[in-house]
Amino acid sequence: MKTLYLFSRIILTIYVLVLSFNCSEEPISANLDHNLMIDTLTITEISLSNYNVAPNLATNERLYVGSKDGINIPYSFFKMAASNYWLYHYDSLITIDSVCFKLYSNDSMLAIGTSPNLFFSPDSFFNENLSTYLDYDGFNTEGWHDMGPPDSVVIGSDTNSFYASTELNWRIDSLMNFLADTLDSNLNRTFLLKYVNNDSNFIELYSEEATIEEKDPKIIIYYRQTSFLNDSLIIDTTFKPIYGNGDLSIFDLSTVNFPTDDLILSNGLGKRAVCSFSFPEDIMPEGAIIRKGNLILSIDSTAISSNFNIIIDPIESDTSVSADSVSVYMEDPYNTIGYPYRLSKEIENNKYNVAIKNFLQNIFMGNEKNLGFKIVADEKNNPFESIRFIMNDPIKPPKIEIVYVYNKED
């Protein structure tokens, strides 16, 4: 066996040597670099302008009710999922002890007296991804079931006795006839949270986007189930959760005076921006390859927010005709290209410095049109935080810096 192994190694070595010999050719001797030149280009003909879109924060990880930083959030909506657990209401072997609606917050100072009221309706009142305050002119809770403030507010701790979250509980047993209705084909289990008095209270809660079920809005049915085993009666006490499948806070901007002098990005205010720039066909030599291309926008350090991410996306089509900084659009008038150009990047050192070389190269090659960029605050940002771009400082102007390579014989 050892002899066979050595023989195999020898054969393999000879094979590799022969293969290497057959594939060997004289190397090409040439200097490939002597025709290539590297150059830089700075574009300062950049225009930025604000426009306003009625905010929809469906993907935000928090829900809000009340007033904060001049923004009014009159109510938040919740939709509870369809589930077979609702049918426990009709099961003769199940005795429902209680039904609780639960919400969670990271505020350890919450109390029943400062909490909003919960309302219920079997009708549909919101579209999670589309609804904005513009849809609720004249809206009120007349005809809704008012469940009042929470029945209990529980401060939760982890295994190390550190604060974990605050749980708000409402007993909604009286709603089971509505929640378990099997005759209403258009049944929607819609809940609404609002303060009954227009005061300065404010509450922040976890959305279904924040966690996987742990702190999601939910309804829990506590019950006893009767069963028989070997002629013995068994009563099992347990519970079943039913999770929300949609929630949305309504940010009302009807009384907000939009600043027109500053260029601002803010999710809560619906402030977005358009960036346009000059990039003619002859801006670089024919056949140039962009090695680096960055858009650099300076940020006002006095108004900067931590962990503020900005999304930039090339505009594909413009339906705005002429967007202004005063009107509030129900839908964003700028359609964007998205992947692979859409980027989300955090502010660093009071600058938004983002690589756009791929898009610039494709403009230069005629593969894309230069309609500029849409710039928005990332959906995950705190909606009450904003940033302000510096526009008129000659030392820190908006600019695009490009490094490119070209053949000097072209």
Side-chain angles (χ1 to χ4, degrees):
M1 181 65 69
K2 183 175 182 180
T3 302
L4 180 60
Y5 172 75
L6 291 174
F7 180 76
S8 300
R9 292 291 302 273
I10 293 171
I11 295 298
L12 178 61
T13 301
I14 294 173
Y15 175 76
V16 171
L17 289 174
V18 172
L19 184 63
S20 299
F21 176 77
N22 289 336
C23 293
S24 297
E25 295 182 6
E26 287 295 324
I28 297 174
S29 179
N31 184 358
L32 298 179
D33 295 330
H34 74 286
N35 290 330
L36 295 181
M37 300 293 290
I38 189 168
D39 206 344
T40 61
L41 174 66
T42 299
I43 299 173
T44 56
E45 294 182 29
I46 297 176
S47 173
L48 284 92
S49 58
N50 262 138
Y51 67 102
N52 310 305
V53 177
N56 174 287
L57 284 80
T59 58
N60 196 272
E61 296 181 351
R62 296 291 187 270
L63 296 164
Y64 312 92
V65 180
S67 298
K68 182 177 179 178
D69 297 341
I71 301 177
N72 181 36
I73 308 98
Y75 29 78
S76 285
F77 288 107
F78 306 84
K79 185 184 298 182
M80 306 310 295
S83 172
N84 290 331
Y85 298 147
W86 298 121
L87 301 181
Y88 285 5
H89 181 64
Y90 303 106
D91 194 326
S92 59
L93 297 178
I94 292 178
T95 301
I96 295 177
D97 294 316
S98 64
V99 183
C100 292
F101 184 93
K102 294 179 180 288
L103 297 174
Y104 299 85
S105 173
N106 60 355
D107 186 351
S108 61
M109 303 302 292
L110 287 179
I112 294 176
T114 58
S115 297
N117 283 23
L118 181 70
F119 295 79
F120 167 76
S121 174
D123 299 320
S124 176
F125 282 89
F126 76 106
N127 182 308
E128 184 181 27
N129 297 311
L130 298 177
S131 294
T132 71
Y133 78 97
L134 297 176
D135 300 310
Y136 296 96
D137 185 27
F139 173 79
N140 61 63
T141 53
E142 183 178 350
W144 289 64
H145 297 267
D146 185 356
M147 308 308 295
D151 294 284
S152 65
V153 176
V154 180
I155 306 299
S157 303
D158 59 20
T159 55
N160 295 318
S161 298
F162 293 112
Y163 171 76
S165 63
T166 300
E167 182 182 275
L168 287 75
N169 297 280
W170 283 265
R171 287 285 299 268
I172 59 170
D173 309 48
S174 60
L175 296 178
M176 275 305 292
N177 284 332
F178 299 101
L179 296 171
D181 191 346
T182 59
L183 299 179
D184 187 352
S185 59
N186 296 316
L187 176 65
N188 285 275
R189 301 172 180 88
T190 305
F191 290 85
L192 177 146
L193 200 66
K194 65 168 290 187
Y195 285 101
V196 292
N197 298 315
N198 294 323
D199 50 28
S200 59
N201 285 327
F202 176 79
I203 189 172
E204 178 180 316
L205 302 158
Y206 286 98
S207 164
E208 63 167 341
E209 305 286 339
T211 63
I212 301 177
E213 298 183 347
E214 179 188 2
K215 297 176 183 177
D216 284 8
K218 63 175 68 74
I219 289 176
I220 296 184
I221 300 176
Y222 298 91
Y223 65 94
R224 288 167 288 152
Q225 186 168 18
T226 302
S227 60
F228 295 90
L229 180 63
N230 298 329
D231 296 329
S232 297
L233 180 65
I234 298 175
I235 299 178
D236 184 24
T237 301
T238 185
F239 66 90
K240 293 294 183 183
I242 302 173
Y243 296 98
N245 62 347
D247 50 46
L248 179 65
S249 294
I250 301 299
F251 278 60
D252 185 0
L253 306 185
S254 58
T255 59
V256 173
N257 293 319
F258 291 103
T260 57
D261 297 332
D262 297 326
L263 188 70
I264 297 172
L265 288 188
S266 168
N267 276 337
L269 291 173
K271 301 290 287 186
R272 303 182 178 187
V274 174
C275 173
S276 57
F277 57 94
S278 175
F279 201 74
E281 294 180 358
D282 58 352
I283 196 168
M284 296 184 298
E286 184 178 352
I289 302 297
I290 299 175
R291 297 184 61 180
K292 181 180 179 181
N294 285 19
L295 172 66
I296 302 172
L297 304 175
S298 296
I299 309 297
D300 185 352
S301 61
T302 63
I304 197 168
S305 300
S306 60
N307 301 320
F308 197 96
N309 278 53
I310 299 176
I311 293 174
I312 186 170
D313 201 351
I315 296 172
E316 185 175 41
S317 62
D318 176 4
T319 61
S320 67
V321 181
S322 58
D324 59 65
S325 60
V326 178
S327 303
V328 179
Y329 296 91
M330 182 171 291
E331 297 181 2
D332 197 310
Y334 298 100
N335 298 318
T336 53
I337 297 175
Y339 179 84
Y341 304 121
R342 183 182 188 271
L343 296 171
S344 178
K345 195 173 187 297
E346 188 175 348
I347 296 171
E348 296 179 357
N349 300 321
N350 299 334
K351 288 183 179 180
Y352 181 56
N353 190 332
V354 59
I356 59 172
K357 74 169 188 174
N358 292 337
F359 184 60
L360 294 176
Q361 185 70 61
N362 277 287
I363 295 175
F364 183 64
M365 296 173 64
N367 298 327
E368 300 288 359
K369 294 181 180 179
N370 178 20
L371 297 179
F373 293 99
K374 179 170 76 174
I375 302 177
V376 302
D378 192 286
E379 299 93 337
K380 301 298 182 183
N381 289 344
N382 186 324
F384 300 99
E385 294 183 349
S386 61
I387 59 100
R388 182 181 297 110
F389 292 113
I390 297 176
M391 295 301 301
N392 301 314
D393 188 340
I395 301 176
K396 304 176 182 178
K399 60 184 176 179
I400 296 175
E401 292 184 345
I402 298 173
V403 178
Y404 64 93
V405 176
Y406 68 100
N407 191 324
K408 70 178 181 180
E409 293 184 352
D410 290 346

